Amino acid sequence: MAGRYLDPAYKRKHYLANKEKYIAKAKEWKKNNPDKVKDSSARRYQKDKDRILEVSSAYYKTLPPEVRRAREKRWRDNNPGRSAYLCAARRSRIKQQQPPWVDEKEIQGFYEMAARVSACLGIKHHVDHIYPLAGRKSKGLHVPWNLQVIPAS
């Protein structure tokens, strides 16, 4: 009797006959064990990171340009702080004003703070450099101690 449960053909047939039960049971387990699910997903991602990135990149490249633009816009709208940070970091790297040893998370915090303040007050704020990156007499760096959040004028 126990032998049939080891047979892959029987297992498959049993699963297909009771698919809804198995799916419901899996959903319930995931709901009751979110930490295990998160850990398992993180381990799987780390194990197969290169393959996952390769497959997702290949898929993304097959999308029509208008779909890609719509997704990018939706992401920017949902992540205004991160988006502003990435744009500013890109501009900064182009100008070679961000040293490689700077903690980017600290800088990102300024852009996220500006987005939160703008949303709370309803007044647009942006991140400003205390010492300008392209000043006439001196050039500032794109570093946390040279940043401040100010209202846009």
Side-chain angles (χ1 to χ4, degrees):
M1 184 83 162
R4 73 178 181 180
Y5 292 108
L6 300 176
D7 180 27
Y10 176 80
K11 283 182 174 182
R12 179 77 179 149
K13 185 178 175 184
H14 189 267
Y15 171 78
L16 291 174
N18 299 290
K19 194 172 185 176
E20 293 79 22
K21 281 185 184 178
Y22 279 99
I23 291 173
K25 189 174 180 181
K27 281 184 182 180
E28 184 68 24
W29 186 87
K30 286 180 180 183
K31 181 180 169 189
N32 294 333
N33 299 288
D35 293 337
K36 289 182 180 181
V37 171
K38 186 176 181 181
D39 291 344
S40 174
S41 294
R43 279 194 313 273
R44 186 183 67 79
Y45 178 77
Q46 288 303 319
K47 180 182 170 194
D48 297 333
K49 188 175 184 178
D50 293 336
R51 186 186 63 76
I52 291 169
L53 291 175
E54 183 180 311
V55 168
S56 62
S57 176
Y59 170 75
Y60 186 75
K61 289 176 182 176
T62 63
L63 294 174
E66 59 275 4
V67 173
R68 286 172 37 183
R69 277 192 298 274
R71 282 187 175 187
E72 290 165 1
K73 181 178 181 347
R74 189 170 54 243
W75 184 87
R76 282 192 311 271
D77 291 344
N78 291 334
N79 301 284
R82 179 83 172 140
S83 178
Y85 162 72
L86 291 173
C87 288
R90 179 179 175 276
R91 286 191 308 268
S92 178
R93 276 193 297 276
I94 289 170
K95 292 182 179 183
Q96 302 276 318
Q97 296 300 107
Q98 182 173 335
W101 43 262
V102 170
D103 182 11
E104 291 193 10
K105 289 188 184 246
E106 276 188 69
I107 295 174
Q108 181 182 343
F110 279 88
Y111 290 92
E112 291 176 351
M113 183 182 357
R116 283 195 308 271
V117 170
S118 296
C120 289
L121 298 179
I123 300 169
K124 178 90 170 136
H125 283 70
H126 60 254
V127 177
D128 183 49
H129 292 88
I130 298 167
Y131 298 100
L133 296 178
R136 287 186 180 155
K137 294 184 180 180
S138 66
K139 297 187 184 314
L141 294 174
H142 191 62
V143 291
W145 49 89
N146 190 31
L147 299 175
Q148 61 184 349
V149 175
I150 61 171
S153 47

